[in-house]
Amino acid sequence: MWGESKQMLKSRGGMGGGIPGGVGDEESDYFPPTPRKDWSTGLLKLVTATVIFMGGVVLGLSVSGSVARYYYNSHAELFFPATTYGCDRDRDCGLGLAFKAFVHPPHLAHSMSDEELFWRASLVPKAEEFPFQRVPKVAFLFMTRGPLPFAPLWDKFFRGHQGLYSVYVHTVPDYKLNVSKSSAFYGRQIPSEEVSWGSITLVDAEKRLLANALLDFSNERFVLLSESCIPVFNFPTVYEYLINSPHSFVESYNIDTQQCAGRYNRRMAPHILPDQWRKGSEWFELNRELAVQIVADYKYYSIFRKHCRPSCYPDEHYIPTYLHLFHGSLNANRTITWVDWSRGGPHPARYGAASISEEFIQAIRNNGTRCTYNSKNTSVCYLFARKFAPSALGPLMNLTSTVLDF
Protein backbone atom coordinates (compact mmCIF):
# COMPACT_ATOMS: atom_id res chain seq x y z
CA MET A 1 0.00 0.00 0.00
CA TRP A 2 2.82 2.35 0.93
CA GLY A 3 4.66 1.58 -2.36
CA GLU A 4 1.54 2.26 -4.39
CA SER A 5 1.11 5.68 -2.72
CA LYS A 6 4.70 6.65 -3.49
CA GLN A 7 4.23 5.80 -7.15
CA MET A 8 1.02 7.85 -7.28
CA LEU A 9 2.71 10.87 -5.69
CA LYS A 10 5.65 10.60 -8.11
CA SER A 11 3.33 10.57 -11.09
CA ARG A 12 1.50 13.63 -9.81
CA GLY A 13 4.74 15.58 -9.32
CA GLY A 14 5.85 14.89 -12.90
CA MET A 15 2.80 16.47 -14.46
CA GLY A 16 2.95 20.12 -15.71
CA GLY A 17 0.74 22.64 -13.92
CA GLY A 18 0.27 24.60 -17.16
CA ILE A 19 -1.49 21.81 -18.91
CA PRO A 20 -5.19 22.53 -19.21
CA GLY A 21 -7.23 20.27 -16.96
CA GLY A 22 -4.13 19.39 -14.93
CA VAL A 23 -5.90 19.38 -11.62
CA GLY A 24 -8.51 17.00 -12.91
CA ASP A 25 -5.86 14.76 -14.34
CA GLU A 26 -3.95 14.75 -11.02
CA GLU A 27 -7.07 13.68 -9.25
CA SER A 28 -7.60 11.00 -11.83
CA ASP A 29 -4.08 9.63 -11.31
CA TYR A 30 -4.40 9.70 -7.48
CA PHE A 31 -7.79 8.10 -7.41
CA PRO A 32 -7.85 5.07 -9.72
CA PRO A 33 -10.37 5.36 -12.54
CA THR A 34 -12.32 2.23 -11.44
CA PRO A 35 -12.78 2.41 -7.65
CA ARG A 36 -15.91 0.15 -7.68
CA LYS A 37 -13.89 -2.71 -9.21
CA ASP A 38 -11.10 -2.49 -6.60
CA TRP A 39 -13.68 -2.37 -3.76
CA SER A 40 -15.27 -5.60 -5.09
CA THR A 41 -11.86 -7.29 -5.32
CA GLY A 42 -11.03 -6.38 -1.71
CA LEU A 43 -14.36 -7.66 -0.51
CA LEU A 44 -13.81 -10.93 -2.40
CA LYS A 45 -10.40 -11.35 -0.78
CA LEU A 46 -11.87 -10.68 2.66
CA VAL A 47 -14.65 -13.23 2.15
CA THR A 48 -12.16 -15.82 0.82
CA ALA A 49 -9.83 -15.31 3.78
CA THR A 50 -12.77 -15.61 6.18
CA VAL A 51 -13.93 -18.85 4.54
CA ILE A 52 -10.40 -20.31 4.67
CA PHE A 53 -10.03 -19.30 8.33
CA MET A 54 -13.35 -20.81 9.33
CA GLY A 55 -12.54 -23.95 7.38
CA GLY A 56 -9.27 -24.23 9.28
CA VAL A 57 -11.07 -23.78 12.59
CA VAL A 58 -13.60 -26.49 11.72
CA LEU A 59 -10.85 -28.86 10.53
CA GLY A 60 -8.80 -28.21 13.65
CA LEU A 61 -11.74 -28.88 15.93
CA SER A 62 -12.56 -32.06 14.00
CA VAL A 63 -8.99 -33.37 14.23
CA SER A 64 -8.77 -32.38 17.89
CA GLY A 65 -12.04 -34.18 18.60
CA SER A 66 -10.86 -37.29 16.78
CA VAL A 67 -7.57 -37.33 18.69
CA ALA A 68 -9.39 -36.78 21.99
CA ARG A 69 -11.87 -39.56 21.20
CA TYR A 70 -9.02 -41.89 20.23
CA TYR A 71 -7.07 -41.00 23.37
CA TYR A 72 -10.08 -41.43 25.62
CA ASN A 73 -11.38 -44.57 23.94
CA SER A 74 -7.95 -46.22 24.00
CA HIS A 75 -7.59 -45.47 27.70
CA ALA A 76 -11.19 -46.41 28.44
CA GLU A 77 -10.62 -49.74 26.71
CA LEU A 78 -7.57 -50.33 28.89
CA PHE A 79 -9.43 -49.52 32.11
CA PHE A 80 -12.80 -50.90 31.05
CA PRO A 81 -12.49 -53.47 28.20
CA ALA A 82 -15.83 -53.51 26.43
CA THR A 83 -15.99 -57.30 26.29
CA THR A 84 -15.21 -57.65 29.99
CA TYR A 85 -17.59 -55.03 31.30
CA GLY A 86 -20.37 -55.60 28.79
CA CYS A 87 -20.58 -52.04 27.40
CA ASP A 88 -21.06 -51.04 23.79
CA ARG A 89 -17.85 -50.17 21.93
CA ASP A 90 -19.76 -47.50 20.01
CA ARG A 91 -20.61 -45.74 23.27
CA ASP A 92 -18.49 -44.23 25.98
CA CYS A 93 -17.71 -47.36 27.98
CA GLY A 94 -16.07 -45.47 30.81
CA LEU A 95 -18.86 -43.01 31.61
CA GLY A 96 -21.64 -45.49 30.93
CA LEU A 97 -20.09 -48.28 32.97
CA ALA A 98 -22.23 -49.58 35.81
CA PHE A 99 -20.38 -49.70 39.12
CA LYS A 100 -21.47 -53.27 39.71
CA ALA A 101 -19.85 -54.35 36.45
CA PHE A 102 -16.64 -52.59 37.48
CA VAL A 103 -16.26 -54.38 40.81
CA HIS A 104 -17.61 -57.70 39.48
CA PRO A 105 -16.80 -57.98 35.72
CA PRO A 106 -19.58 -60.09 34.16
CA HIS A 107 -17.39 -61.34 31.29
CA LEU A 108 -13.83 -62.68 31.09
CA ALA A 109 -13.11 -61.86 27.42
CA HIS A 110 -10.88 -58.85 26.75
CA SER A 111 -8.21 -57.67 24.31
CA MET A 112 -5.62 -56.51 26.84
CA SER A 113 -2.02 -57.64 26.43
CA ASP A 114 -0.32 -59.27 29.42
CA GLU A 115 1.49 -56.02 30.15
CA GLU A 116 -1.78 -54.06 30.15
CA LEU A 117 -3.61 -56.76 32.13
CA PHE A 118 -0.94 -56.97 34.85
CA TRP A 119 -0.86 -53.17 35.18
CA ARG A 120 -4.64 -52.98 35.37
CA ALA A 121 -4.88 -55.84 37.90
CA SER A 122 -2.21 -54.35 40.18
CA LEU A 123 -4.17 -51.12 40.79
CA VAL A 124 -5.12 -51.05 44.47
CA PRO A 125 -7.75 -48.74 46.05
CA LYS A 126 -6.41 -46.41 48.74
CA ALA A 127 -9.72 -46.27 50.61
CA GLU A 128 -9.93 -49.02 53.22
CA GLU A 129 -13.71 -49.28 53.23
CA PHE A 130 -15.59 -50.77 50.28
CA PRO A 131 -18.53 -48.73 48.92
CA PHE A 132 -20.47 -51.95 48.35
CA GLN A 133 -21.37 -55.07 50.29
CA ARG A 134 -18.23 -57.15 49.83
CA VAL A 135 -18.43 -60.86 50.55
CA PRO A 136 -14.92 -62.33 50.17
CA LYS A 137 -14.67 -65.08 47.58
CA VAL A 138 -12.19 -67.86 46.84
CA ALA A 139 -10.93 -67.82 43.24
CA PHE A 140 -10.23 -71.29 41.84
CA LEU A 141 -7.63 -71.00 39.08
CA PHE A 142 -7.47 -74.03 36.79
CA MET A 143 -4.53 -74.49 34.44
CA THR A 144 -5.08 -77.15 31.81
CA ARG A 145 -4.21 -77.86 28.20
CA GLY A 146 -7.63 -79.18 27.29
CA PRO A 147 -10.58 -80.94 28.99
CA LEU A 148 -11.37 -80.87 32.70
CA PRO A 149 -12.24 -84.51 33.41
CA PHE A 150 -13.25 -83.74 37.00
CA ALA A 151 -15.56 -80.83 36.16
CA PRO A 152 -18.65 -82.86 37.31
CA LEU A 153 -16.97 -83.46 40.69
CA TRP A 154 -16.08 -79.78 41.08
CA ASP A 155 -19.59 -78.74 40.02
CA LYS A 156 -21.00 -80.82 42.86
CA PHE A 157 -18.40 -79.33 45.21
CA PHE A 158 -19.46 -75.75 44.24
CA ARG A 159 -23.22 -76.40 44.22
CA GLY A 160 -25.21 -74.24 46.61
CA HIS A 161 -22.35 -71.83 47.32
CA GLN A 162 -22.82 -69.19 44.63
CA GLY A 163 -21.38 -65.84 45.62
CA LEU A 164 -18.56 -67.39 47.63
CA TYR A 165 -16.33 -68.56 44.78
CA SER A 166 -15.12 -67.67 41.28
CA VAL A 167 -13.70 -69.97 38.60
CA TYR A 168 -11.02 -69.13 36.02
CA VAL A 169 -9.63 -71.51 33.41
CA HIS A 170 -6.42 -71.16 31.37
CA THR A 171 -6.24 -73.54 28.39
CA VAL A 172 -4.33 -73.69 25.15
CA PRO A 173 -5.42 -70.87 22.82
CA ASP A 174 -8.72 -71.38 20.96
CA TYR A 175 -9.70 -74.44 23.00
CA LYS A 176 -13.39 -74.46 23.96
CA LEU A 177 -14.49 -76.25 27.12
CA ASN A 178 -17.38 -78.59 26.51
CA VAL A 179 -19.54 -78.00 29.59
CA SER A 180 -23.22 -77.28 30.13
CA LYS A 181 -24.55 -73.80 30.83
CA SER A 182 -25.31 -74.87 34.39
CA SER A 183 -21.66 -75.74 35.05
CA ALA A 184 -19.47 -73.48 37.22
CA PHE A 185 -16.94 -73.64 34.37
CA TYR A 186 -19.28 -72.30 31.70
CA GLY A 187 -17.93 -69.06 30.21
CA ARG A 188 -15.00 -68.99 32.63
CA GLN A 189 -12.09 -69.33 30.21
CA ILE A 190 -9.67 -66.41 30.23
CA PRO A 191 -7.69 -65.15 27.19
CA SER A 192 -4.79 -67.61 27.16
CA GLU A 193 -1.42 -68.23 25.52
CA GLU A 194 0.57 -71.35 24.69
CA VAL A 195 2.35 -72.95 27.65
CA SER A 196 5.27 -75.39 27.63
CA TRP A 197 6.29 -77.53 30.59
CA GLY A 198 9.35 -76.43 32.53
CA SER A 199 9.53 -72.94 30.98
CA ILE A 200 8.75 -69.40 32.07
CA THR A 201 5.47 -69.64 30.13
CA LEU A 202 4.06 -71.54 33.12
CA VAL A 203 4.73 -68.51 35.31
CA ASP A 204 3.13 -66.34 32.62
CA ALA A 205 -0.01 -68.48 32.79
CA GLU A 206 -0.07 -68.32 36.60
CA LYS A 207 0.22 -64.53 36.57
CA ARG A 208 -2.42 -64.34 33.83
CA LEU A 209 -4.86 -66.34 35.97
CA LEU A 210 -4.12 -64.23 39.05
CA ALA A 211 -4.50 -60.96 37.12
CA ASN A 212 -7.85 -61.89 35.60
CA ALA A 213 -9.13 -62.98 39.01
CA LEU A 214 -7.91 -59.74 40.62
CA LEU A 215 -10.23 -57.75 38.35
CA ASP A 216 -13.06 -58.97 40.59
CA PHE A 217 -12.64 -56.97 43.79
CA SER A 218 -14.43 -59.60 45.89
CA ASN A 219 -11.87 -62.31 45.20
CA GLU A 220 -9.79 -62.59 48.38
CA ARG A 221 -8.05 -65.98 48.13
CA PHE A 222 -6.53 -67.56 45.01
CA VAL A 223 -5.93 -71.30 44.57
CA LEU A 224 -3.97 -72.72 41.63
CA LEU A 225 -5.19 -76.14 40.46
CA SER A 226 -4.69 -78.48 37.51
CA GLU A 227 -7.08 -80.67 35.57
CA SER A 228 -5.92 -83.64 37.69
CA CYS A 229 -6.74 -82.01 41.06
CA ILE A 230 -9.66 -82.91 43.30
CA PRO A 231 -11.05 -81.50 46.58
CA VAL A 232 -10.73 -83.79 49.61
CA PHE A 233 -13.05 -81.74 51.84
CA ASN A 234 -16.40 -80.07 51.18
CA PHE A 235 -16.74 -76.42 50.18
CA PRO A 236 -17.61 -74.93 53.61
CA THR A 237 -14.51 -76.54 55.13
CA VAL A 238 -12.25 -75.26 52.35
CA TYR A 239 -13.79 -71.79 52.40
CA GLU A 240 -13.51 -71.31 56.15
CA TYR A 241 -9.97 -72.69 56.22
CA LEU A 242 -8.73 -70.20 53.61
CA ILE A 243 -10.77 -67.09 54.43
CA ASN A 244 -9.91 -67.26 58.14
CA SER A 245 -6.16 -67.67 57.67
CA PRO A 246 -3.76 -64.69 57.87
CA HIS A 247 -1.21 -66.69 55.90
CA SER A 248 -0.86 -67.80 52.30
CA PHE A 249 0.11 -71.39 51.52
CA VAL A 250 3.18 -71.56 49.30
CA GLU A 251 5.81 -74.24 49.81
CA SER A 252 9.22 -72.57 50.12
CA TYR A 253 12.45 -74.32 51.11
CA ASN A 254 16.13 -74.67 50.22
CA ILE A 255 18.04 -77.93 50.46
CA ASP A 256 21.45 -78.82 49.12
CA THR A 257 20.44 -81.08 46.24
CA GLN A 258 20.76 -80.83 42.50
CA GLN A 259 16.97 -80.47 42.21
CA CYS A 260 16.93 -77.43 44.52
CA ALA A 261 20.13 -75.49 45.31
CA GLY A 262 21.74 -76.98 42.22
CA ARG A 263 19.37 -75.03 39.99
CA TYR A 264 20.55 -71.64 41.21
CA ASN A 265 22.28 -69.51 38.57
CA ARG A 266 25.05 -67.28 39.96
CA ARG A 267 24.15 -64.65 37.34
CA MET A 268 21.08 -63.89 39.49
CA ALA A 269 23.34 -62.17 42.03
CA PRO A 270 23.31 -59.64 43.60
CA HIS A 271 19.51 -59.47 43.38
CA ILE A 272 19.07 -63.12 44.40
CA LEU A 273 21.85 -64.72 46.44
CA PRO A 274 22.38 -68.49 46.89
CA ASP A 275 21.00 -68.50 50.46
CA GLN A 276 17.87 -66.67 49.24
CA TRP A 277 17.07 -69.26 46.58
CA ARG A 278 13.92 -71.27 47.26
CA LYS A 279 11.94 -74.13 45.77
CA GLY A 280 8.35 -75.29 46.27
CA SER A 281 5.28 -76.88 44.75
CA GLU A 282 3.82 -74.99 41.82
CA TRP A 283 0.31 -75.42 43.27
CA PHE A 284 0.00 -72.38 45.51
CA GLU A 285 -2.66 -70.54 47.48
CA LEU A 286 -2.36 -66.77 47.90
CA ASN A 287 -4.25 -63.98 49.59
CA ARG A 288 -5.14 -60.86 47.62
CA GLU A 289 -2.24 -58.77 48.91
CA LEU A 290 0.39 -61.27 47.75
CA ALA A 291 -1.43 -61.93 44.48
CA VAL A 292 -1.20 -58.21 43.65
CA GLN A 293 2.51 -58.14 44.53
CA ILE A 294 3.30 -61.07 42.25
CA VAL A 295 1.28 -59.72 39.33
CA ALA A 296 2.95 -56.31 39.71
CA ASP A 297 6.51 -57.67 39.91
CA TYR A 298 8.62 -57.25 36.81
CA LYS A 299 12.16 -56.98 38.18
CA TYR A 300 12.47 -60.47 39.67
CA TYR A 301 10.28 -62.05 37.02
CA SER A 302 12.75 -60.69 34.42
CA ILE A 303 15.68 -62.24 36.32
CA PHE A 304 13.98 -65.63 36.24
CA ARG A 305 13.03 -65.23 32.61
CA LYS A 306 16.64 -64.53 31.71
CA HIS A 307 18.53 -66.93 33.99
CA CYS A 308 16.11 -69.74 35.01
CA ARG A 309 16.04 -71.75 31.79
CA PRO A 310 15.11 -75.42 31.16
CA SER A 311 16.33 -77.74 33.92
CA CYS A 312 15.73 -74.83 36.31
CA TYR A 313 11.90 -74.92 36.21
CA PRO A 314 10.85 -71.34 37.11
CA ASP A 315 7.33 -72.44 38.13
CA GLU A 316 8.90 -74.25 41.11
CA HIS A 317 11.20 -71.39 42.12
CA TYR A 318 9.94 -67.94 41.15
CA ILE A 319 7.04 -67.48 43.61
CA PRO A 320 8.71 -69.36 46.52
CA THR A 321 11.87 -67.23 46.11
CA TYR A 322 10.01 -63.95 45.63
CA LEU A 323 7.86 -64.48 48.72
CA HIS A 324 10.88 -65.49 50.80
CA LEU A 325 12.68 -62.29 49.77
CA PHE A 326 9.88 -59.86 50.62
CA HIS A 327 6.84 -61.45 52.27
CA GLY A 328 8.04 -64.43 54.27
CA SER A 329 6.02 -63.51 57.37
CA LEU A 330 2.79 -63.76 55.35
CA ASN A 331 3.53 -67.28 54.13
CA ALA A 332 2.87 -70.58 55.90
CA ASN A 333 5.72 -72.19 53.91
CA ARG A 334 3.65 -75.22 52.98
CA THR A 335 1.28 -76.37 50.27
CA ILE A 336 -2.35 -77.39 50.79
CA THR A 337 -2.33 -79.73 47.76
CA TRP A 338 -1.33 -83.31 48.50
CA VAL A 339 0.77 -85.24 45.99
CA ASP A 340 2.71 -88.52 46.11
CA TRP A 341 6.40 -88.32 45.11
CA SER A 342 7.32 -91.61 46.76
CA ARG A 343 7.79 -93.43 43.45
CA GLY A 344 10.56 -91.10 42.27
CA GLY A 345 11.02 -89.62 38.81
CA PRO A 346 10.13 -86.21 37.35
CA HIS A 347 6.37 -86.71 37.82
CA PRO A 348 4.29 -87.71 40.87
CA ALA A 349 2.27 -90.89 41.21
CA ARG A 350 -1.02 -91.01 39.29
CA TYR A 351 -4.15 -92.62 40.71
CA GLY A 352 -7.00 -94.18 38.75
CA ALA A 353 -10.30 -95.87 39.54
CA ALA A 354 -8.75 -98.86 41.27
CA SER A 355 -7.16 -96.65 43.94
CA ILE A 356 -10.27 -94.72 44.98
CA SER A 357 -11.92 -95.65 48.27
CA GLU A 358 -13.05 -94.01 51.50
CA GLU A 359 -9.89 -95.22 53.16
CA PHE A 360 -7.76 -93.60 50.47
CA ILE A 361 -9.44 -90.20 50.92
CA GLN A 362 -9.10 -90.46 54.69
CA ALA A 363 -5.44 -91.36 54.30
CA ILE A 364 -4.87 -88.17 52.28
CA ARG A 365 -6.65 -86.13 54.95
CA ASN A 366 -4.82 -87.73 57.86
CA ASN A 367 -1.54 -88.97 56.47
CA GLY A 368 0.41 -88.48 59.68
CA THR A 369 1.67 -85.07 58.63
CA ARG A 370 1.44 -82.39 61.28
CA CYS A 371 1.34 -78.71 60.39
CA THR A 372 0.37 -75.39 61.90
CA TYR A 373 -2.72 -73.37 61.13
CA ASN A 374 -3.09 -69.92 62.69
CA SER A 375 -0.10 -70.76 64.92
CA LYS A 376 -1.73 -73.92 66.25
CA ASN A 377 -0.90 -77.54 65.48
CA THR A 378 -3.37 -79.35 63.23
CA SER A 379 -3.68 -82.54 61.23
CA VAL A 380 -5.75 -80.81 58.52
CA CYS A 381 -2.88 -79.90 56.19
CA TYR A 382 -4.28 -80.71 52.72
CA LEU A 383 -7.51 -79.46 51.18
CA PHE A 384 -6.84 -80.74 47.63
CA ALA A 385 -4.99 -83.65 46.06
CA ARG A 386 -3.39 -84.64 42.78
CA LYS A 387 -2.60 -86.47 40.51
CA PHE A 388 -5.73 -88.37 39.37
CA ALA A 389 -6.56 -90.08 36.09
CA PRO A 390 -9.94 -89.47 34.39
CA SER A 391 -11.00 -93.02 35.28
CA ALA A 392 -11.15 -91.95 38.94
CA LEU A 393 -14.18 -89.72 38.32
CA GLY A 394 -16.87 -92.40 38.71
CA PRO A 395 -15.64 -93.79 42.06
CA LEU A 396 -15.07 -90.25 43.37
CA MET A 397 -18.63 -89.22 42.45
CA ASN A 398 -19.87 -92.20 44.46
CA LEU A 399 -18.05 -90.84 47.53
CA THR A 400 -19.52 -87.34 47.40
CA SER A 401 -22.48 -88.24 49.62
CA THR A 402 -20.30 -90.05 52.16
CA VAL A 403 -16.70 -89.23 53.01
CA LEU A 404 -16.43 -86.16 50.74
CA ASP A 405 -19.74 -84.85 52.06
CA PHE A 406 -20.88 -82.77 49.11
Side-chain angles (χ1 to χ4, degrees):
M1 179 68 179
W2 172 241
E4 292 175 354
S5 299
K6 286 178 65 180
Q7 183 63 37
M8 292 175 187
L9 289 172
K10 182 178 179 182
S11 299
R12 183 175 65 176
M15 297 177 66
I19 300 176
V23 174
D25 289 341
E26 288 177 5
E27 291 178 353
S28 296
D29 288 339
Y30 190 77
F31 298 102
T34 54
R36 188 175 299 277
K37 180 179 180 182
D38 282 358
W39 178 83
S40 300
T41 302
L43 180 60
L44 179 61
K45 289 181 178 179
L46 178 61
V47 172
T48 302
T50 302
V51 170
I52 293 174
F53 174 76
M54 293 303 295
V57 170
V58 172
L59 180 61
L61 291 174
S62 176
V63 171
S64 176
S66 297
V67 171
R69 284 193 300 273
Y70 171 78
Y71 178 84
Y72 182 82
N73 288 339
S74 63
H75 282 65
E77 176 66 15
L78 181 55
F79 275 101
F80 313 113
T83 48
T84 301
Y85 295 104
C87 59
D88 190 344
R89 289 183 182 274
D90 296 329
R91 290 165 38 207
D92 188 345
C93 294
L95 293 177
L97 178 66
F99 183 73
K100 183 178 179 181
F102 173 69
V103 296
H104 303 299
H107 307 292
L108 298 186
H110 59 75
S111 59
M112 288 184 284
S113 66
D114 280 352
E115 182 181 16
E116 293 170 336
L117 172 65
F118 298 163
W119 176 82
R120 171 68 182 82
S122 63
L123 299 180
V124 178
K126 295 294 289 185
E128 294 183 3
E129 298 296 326
F130 292 92
F132 60 95
Q133 186 64 37
R134 182 180 186 267
V135 177
K137 297 191 293 187
V138 177
F140 293 82
L141 318 177
F142 289 86
M143 187 155 56
T144 177
R145 295 195 62 81
L148 290 170
F150 295 105
L153 182 70
W154 284 104
D155 278 333
K156 202 163 185 181
F157 169 81
F158 290 130
R159 189 171 300 159
H161 304 289
Q162 287 74 13
L164 298 179
Y165 70 89
S166 300
V167 173
Y168 301 84
V169 184
H170 189 293
T171 66
V172 295
D174 301 324
Y175 179 80
K176 302 298 182 185
L177 282 176
N178 183 21
V179 294
S180 68
K181 289 186 177 181
S182 62
S183 172
F185 296 91
Y186 183 79
R188 303 308 298 176
Q189 288 181 251
I190 67 168
S192 305
E193 299 292 339
E194 189 64 49
V195 172
S196 58
W197 182 70
S199 75
I200 195 68
T201 59
L202 276 169
V203 175
D204 294 336
E206 292 170 5
K207 295 182 73 167
R208 204 172 288 127
L209 280 162
L210 285 171
N212 278 278
L214 283 169
L215 297 182
D216 187 328
F217 283 83
S218 289
N219 286 329
E220 184 62 30
R221 310 292 300 211
F222 305 79
V223 184
L224 183 67
L225 301 157
S226 75
E227 77 282 0
S228 67
C229 289
I230 65 166
V232 294
F233 286 97
N234 61 21
F235 184 90
T237 301
V238 171
Y239 181 85
E240 294 294 330
Y241 194 98
L242 297 180
I243 292 295
N244 293 325
S245 174
H247 298 101
S248 293
F249 298 93
V250 179
E251 194 174 48
S252 180
Y253 62 88
N254 190 4
I255 55 177
D256 189 17
T257 63
Q258 183 57 39
Q259 290 75 29
C260 183
R263 294 175 179 173
Y264 172 76
N265 187 333
R266 58 184 177 82
R267 293 185 178 88
M268 293 181 171
H271 305 292
I272 302 172
L273 301 176
D275 63 341
Q276 297 171 327
W277 180 251
R278 290 295 183 272
K279 179 183 177 178
S281 169
E282 176 186 4
W283 312 103
F284 59 72
E285 191 282 334
L286 296 168
N287 65 19
R288 188 173 184 90
E289 178 182 352
L290 296 188
V292 169
Q293 293 293 334
I294 288 169
V295 167
D297 171 59
Y298 179 76
K299 177 180 179 180
Y300 290 87
Y301 165 83
S302 298
I303 293 172
F304 273 84
R305 186 179 190 90
K306 185 175 182 180
H307 299 300
C308 189
R309 297 299 182 91
S311 79
C312 172
Y313 304 105
D315 56 297
E316 295 181 1
H317 294 279
Y318 166 64
I319 292 180
T321 300
Y322 181 79
L323 293 187
H324 171 73
L325 282 170
F326 302 107
H327 306 285
S329 63
L330 299 178
N331 184 25
N333 286 337
R334 65 180 178 89
T335 181
I336 52 173
T337 301
W338 177 87
V339 66
D340 181 6
W341 289 99
S342 63
R343 301 179 188 179
H347 301 287
R350 195 176 191 216
Y351 293 94
S355 302
I356 307 304
S357 65
E358 288 193 24
E359 293 72 24
F360 180 63
I361 300 298
Q362 291 290 6
I364 293 174
R365 290 177 173 180
N366 307 296
N367 64 354
T369 301
R370 302 290 294 182
C371 58
T372 60
Y373 175 78
N374 292 356
S375 302
K376 296 180 180 179
N377 290 329
T378 179
S379 61
V380 181
C381 301
Y382 300 111
L383 304 180
F384 313 101
R386 61 187 300 268
K387 190 173 187 180
F388 291 85
S391 63
L393 176 62
L396 286 169
M397 292 294 285
N398 293 334
L399 297 180
T400 56
S401 59
T402 56
V403 63
L404 290 175
D405 191 25
F406 56 82

